[in-house]
Amino acid sequence: MASSTSSRASSGHAADGSPERPAAPSGSYDIGIDLGTANTLVYARGKGVVLNEPSVVAVNVTGEVIAVGSDAKRTIGRTPSGITAMRPLREGVIADFAAAEQMLRALLKKALPSRRFARPRVVICVPSGITGVERRAVIDSARSAGAREVHLIEEPMAAAIGAGLPVDEPVGCMVVDIGGGTTEVAVVSMGGLVTAQSVRIAGDALDAAIAAHVKKKHALAIGERTAEDIKMAIGSAARVPGPRAAPDSSADAGISDDAASEAPSDASSGAVSGAASGSDEDGAPQRRTSFTVRGRDHISGLPRIQEITEEEIREALTEPVDAIIRAVHHTLDACPPELSGDIIERGIALTGGGALLRGLDLRLHQEMGVPVTVADQPLDCVVNGTAKCVDEFASLHGMLTGAKGRPRRTVRL
């Protein structure tokens, strides 16, 4: 990829024939933003990833921002009547324009604390399937938050760049980016998206499926944070052979420090505890087969403890996982034959937080019949791809989308 990038830069023109833009000066404060439904990551030129915060904002009745990011996420389900904790993005797009603008403004202030009056050039990741209105909302929010220039890049393209795939070469590379609100499936070749599909089923849908299952089967109400903790602890898409930890429903160790410290007081939204993973006699890590959940009984309205097994969570996740598999199948079906051969050889790369779901790569391999690998640091692939676009803007700006919502570079096969 480096060789093709350098040759294009030396020619003085982009692939579409337009003159290359000059590289930004070393002192500029250009940043890249992975604007995700669950988390927002901010990359600053020359400084690396300077911010990784949940995409949550807490506001009062007057619209004043009380907290942003991690501080706001801790207030979800625990706010008084005068304060609202919300996610400005739903299913990968801006659902609340005012809240998104305030969140971006606060995050930019955190990212550039010593440059109060700096107006950076911003590259923002967006889902490949968003509409023109949604695209304009992202651009307007960033400009209102202080950006002097806004460029967009489709998430699958950024994920492919961040995963180290040869996106500039005339070969087919398939990437499946499973985020919080959307799953992006795309085939990339010659610096463009050949075919892509965006489905609004991802990590949030997995959490909702778990919460619905616990409510239906056990008559227990749990919150989205608890559902996410269950998914991370015992969630799986397929049965994976390996050592298992013996269930211990009486243990009080939570999946995270926050969940453990908040478990006793979380009767309304649910709290999680479970056995520690431990290890077998050979030192190999073991995984949980069950988890203990604290929530509110739907019938009595009182707090109750319930043990959840790995098998029933896998069953609860069947529907959203099947929807993701169908999106991969439809994308492969629309792929040109020549590129299909490349995918059989190179396989499918999984990125995003959803790629960490246990057994998902095995399930996709069984269904598609092609190699499936999880990218190194899948959570950071999108922001790493965005960072590369920021650092090498002159040579990679052809992969970005302008303010009018039209891609500067297209690929037709």
Side-chain angles (χ1 to χ4, degrees):
M1 176 176 175
S3 60
S4 59
T5 299
S6 59
S7 63
R8 190 171 61 215
S10 61
S11 67
H13 289 78
D16 59 0
S18 59
E20 291 268 63
R21 293 188 176 218
S26 59
S28 65
Y29 302 100
D30 300 341
I31 64 176
I33 300 178
D34 175 12
L35 189 61
T37 303
N39 294 281
T40 296
L41 289 80
V42 179
Y43 167 86
R45 177 191 289 271
K47 296 182 179 181
V49 178
V50 296
L51 207 62
N52 184 353
E53 297 276 357
S55 302
V56 183
V57 58
V59 297
N60 59 18
V61 291
T62 64
E64 180 184 358
V65 175
I66 304 299
V68 174
S70 300
D71 296 336
K73 185 176 181 179
R74 284 195 290 267
T75 67
I76 293 180
R78 298 181 173 88
T79 57
S81 58
I83 299 177
T84 302
M86 68 179 73
R87 295 182 181 271
L89 290 94
R90 287 290 179 183
E91 298 179 340
V93 297
I94 293 179
D96 189 315
F97 180 85
E101 178 184 336
Q102 294 181 60
M103 183 185 73
L104 279 174
R105 190 182 300 275
L107 293 179
L108 288 176
K109 187 176 180 180
K110 280 186 178 182
L112 302 172
S114 61
R115 301 287 175 179
R116 292 183 58 189
F117 302 104
R119 293 179 60 84
R121 178 169 62 192
V122 179
V123 177
I124 303 179
C125 287
V126 295
S128 59
I130 67 172
T131 65
V133 174
E134 293 165 341
R135 192 181 300 269
R136 172 58 64 182
V138 174
I139 294 173
D140 291 345
S141 294
R143 284 180 172 170
S144 300
R148 77 173 188 274
E149 189 177 340
V150 182
H151 301 271
L152 306 182
I153 181 172
E154 287 89 350
E155 286 183 8
M157 177 61 74
I161 296 173
L165 302 181
V167 296
D168 268 358
E169 299 178 9
V171 294
C173 303
M174 188 169 194
V175 60
V176 179
D177 180 59
I178 307 173
T182 60
T183 294
E184 305 288 329
V185 187
V187 175
V188 181
S189 179
M190 296 177 61
L193 301 182
V194 178
T195 179
Q197 185 170 2
S198 177
V199 293
R200 297 187 177 184
I201 297 177
D204 289 347
L206 299 177
D207 298 340
I210 292 175
H213 169 82
V214 174
K215 178 180 179 181
K216 180 180 180 180
K217 183 173 182 179
H218 301 287
L220 194 68
I222 62 174
E224 59 182 44
R225 292 187 58 195
T226 301
E228 182 181 12
D229 289 342
I230 296 173
K231 176 184 66 178
M232 294 170 62
I234 60 174
S236 62
R239 188 183 299 275
V240 180
R244 296 187 177 187
D248 182 5
S249 60
S250 61
D252 286 330
I255 187 172
S256 65
D257 293 339
D258 291 340
S261 61
E262 295 166 0
S265 62
D266 198 15
S268 61
S269 62
V272 182
S273 65
S277 296
S279 60
D280 60 12
E281 295 178 356
D282 299 330
Q286 296 178 331
R287 70 175 189 270
R288 294 181 176 92
T289 58
S290 65
F291 223 69
T292 301
V293 182
R294 296 181 180 93
R296 187 186 71 245
D297 191 290
H298 261 296
I299 299 175
S300 65
L302 300 177
R304 180 163 62 86
I305 295 176
Q306 178 66 49
E307 186 176 357
I308 309 295
T309 65
E310 178 185 11
E311 286 75 14
E312 62 178 295
I313 295 302
R314 181 162 57 246
E315 181 182 353
L317 295 178
T318 298
E319 185 175 347
V321 168
D322 286 346
I324 294 174
I325 292 175
R326 285 195 299 271
V328 177
H329 186 275
H330 292 162
T331 305
L332 283 173
D333 186 50
C335 182
E338 293 294 338
L339 297 185
S340 297
D342 295 335
I343 294 171
I344 292 175
E345 179 182 355
R346 295 176 176 271
I348 300 173
L350 293 181
T351 65
L356 300 176
L357 182 66
R358 188 181 299 112
L360 181 59
D361 53 344
L362 176 61
R363 178 76 185 281
L364 276 171
H365 172 66
Q366 293 172 346
E367 297 284 346
M368 301 294 115
V370 298
V372 180
T373 58
V374 179
D376 295 334
Q377 300 179 337
L379 289 169
D380 299 330
C381 285
V382 173
V383 72
N384 288 341
T386 307
K388 191 160 188 176
C389 291
V390 171
D391 292 337
E392 303 177 18
F393 185 83
S395 58
L396 298 180
H397 78 277
M399 300 181 185
L400 307 179
T401 302
K404 295 182 179 180
R406 296 180 179 177
R408 293 196 181 97
R409 188 179 183 188
T410 58
V411 174
R412 298 187 183 278
L413 295 178

